[in-house]
């Protein structure tokens, strides 16, 4: 149920992997307008109970690997990451990273966001690195291996309609790192702010994604 080259909590690691592991993705027949394909990927949150308290676990999908390390949703111990030195593979035989040697101007994707409650947004993040260890969110870490970033943390429902998003990469901000371009970490989440999603099992937060591309 994970698209090839993409990963969710189904293949996560971390100290709470056994607790968090499970599918947050599935195939959807809802595709963007004008598409010649028949499927998109549906990413959805889940409502869980921790010590009797209902919490929302964001639906997340990443080209890297997801790590579950804390019961506190906003703890950076919960993140996606890449590390090209690792040799582990997913169930399809793909590594938990995507190699990249070019310098795209922007990242583009069609999304359809249906939040389970009002006042929340979804997110799309793309970080180009030199392939050494990098995690998103960074937390208090100081990473000098970043080449560029492109982020949109304010994806709104837009009337529950498909919308095309294009976000430029910021190279200038990270030029001082002088990092070589070797990998890209792309992460989509149903909740830009962890822990604020819907806790209603009948109205979960849903983000459909179609035709993501790098723009040159």
């Amino acid at each position: 149920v994970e698209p090839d080259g993409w990963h969710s909590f189904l293949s996560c690691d971390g100290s709470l992997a056994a607790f968090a592991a499970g599918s947050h993705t599935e195939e959807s027949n809802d595709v963007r307008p004008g598409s010649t394909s028949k499927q998109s990927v549906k990413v959805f949150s889940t409502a869980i109970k921790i010590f009797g308290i209902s919490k929302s676990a964001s639906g997340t999908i990443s080209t890297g690997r997801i790590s579950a390390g804390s019961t506190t949703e906003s703890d950076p111990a919960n993140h996606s990451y890449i590390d090209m030195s690792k040799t582990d593979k997913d169930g399809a035989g793909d590594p938990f990273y995507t190699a990249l040697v070019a310098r795209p101007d922007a990242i583009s994707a069609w999304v359809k966001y249906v939040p389970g409650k009002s006042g929340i947004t979804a997110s799309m993040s793309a970080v180009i690195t030199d392939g050494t260890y990098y995690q998103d969110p960074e937390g208090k870490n100081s990473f000098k291996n970043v080449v560029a970033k492109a982020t949109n943390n304010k994806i709104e429902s837009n009337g529950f309609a498909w919308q095309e998003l294009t976000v430029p990469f910021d190279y200038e901000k990270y030029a001082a790192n002088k990092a070589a371009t070797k990998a890209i970490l792309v992460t989509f989440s149903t909740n830009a702010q962890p822990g604020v999603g819907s806790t209603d099992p009948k109205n979960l937060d849903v983000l459909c994604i179609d035709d993501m591309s790098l723009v040159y």
Side-chain angles (χ1 to χ4, degrees):
V1 297
E2 293 181 334
D4 287 346
W6 293 83
H7 310 99
S8 69
F9 286 99
L10 187 65
S11 56
C12 74
D13 64 9
S15 60
L16 297 181
F19 176 79
S23 174
H24 281 221
T25 66
E26 63 184 31
E27 295 177 353
S28 172
N29 295 325
D30 190 354
V31 296
R32 59 97 169 167
S35 175
T36 57
S37 65
K38 297 180 179 180
Q39 293 176 324
S40 66
V41 61
K42 176 182 177 182
V43 185
F44 51 91
S45 65
T46 56
I48 60 176
K49 282 193 175 182
I50 300 178
F51 303 118
I53 300 175
S54 294
K55 293 190 175 186
S56 173
S58 300
T60 304
I61 190 170
S62 175
T63 56
R65 191 168 199 174
I66 294 176
S67 185
S70 175
T71 57
T72 302
E73 302 96 317
S74 58
D75 191 328
N78 302 317
H79 56 261
S80 62
Y81 73 93
I82 52 173
D83 185 348
M84 294 183 77
S85 69
K86 290 184 173 292
T87 58
D88 47 335
K89 304 288 182 66
D90 62 18
D94 295 318
F96 289 95
Y97 60 80
T98 297
L100 179 75
V101 295
R103 291 168 65 94
D105 296 304
I107 184 170
S108 177
W110 283 85
V111 299
K112 182 177 182 180
Y113 186 43
V114 183
K117 68 177 189 180
S118 62
I120 58 178
T121 59
S123 66
M124 172 176 72
S125 171
V127 184
I128 300 173
T129 77
D130 68 0
T132 57
Y133 180 84
Y134 176 82
Q135 72 175 55
D136 183 13
E138 296 179 357
K140 294 182 179 180
N141 299 292
S142 178
F143 291 97
K144 300 299 183 182
N145 58 348
V146 175
V147 178
K149 292 182 182 181
T151 305
N152 185 342
N153 289 323
K154 298 181 180 180
I155 302 175
E156 299 180 330
S157 62
N158 192 37
F160 310 136
W162 280 98
Q163 52 187 314
E164 185 178 20
L165 306 175
T166 300
V167 185
F169 281 100
D170 186 347
Y171 289 93
E172 184 176 353
K173 183 176 181 180
Y174 304 95
N177 290 340
K178 298 182 179 180
T181 302
K182 292 187 178 181
I184 184 170
L185 175 65
V186 182
T187 305
F188 289 87
S189 180
T190 58
N191 302 104
Q193 183 179 350
V196 303
S198 172
T199 56
D200 182 355
K202 296 182 179 180
N203 291 286
L204 299 173
D205 309 314
V206 175
L207 180 67
C208 289
I209 308 162
D210 204 359
D211 288 345
M212 193 213 81
S213 62
L214 297 177
V215 182
Y216 296 86

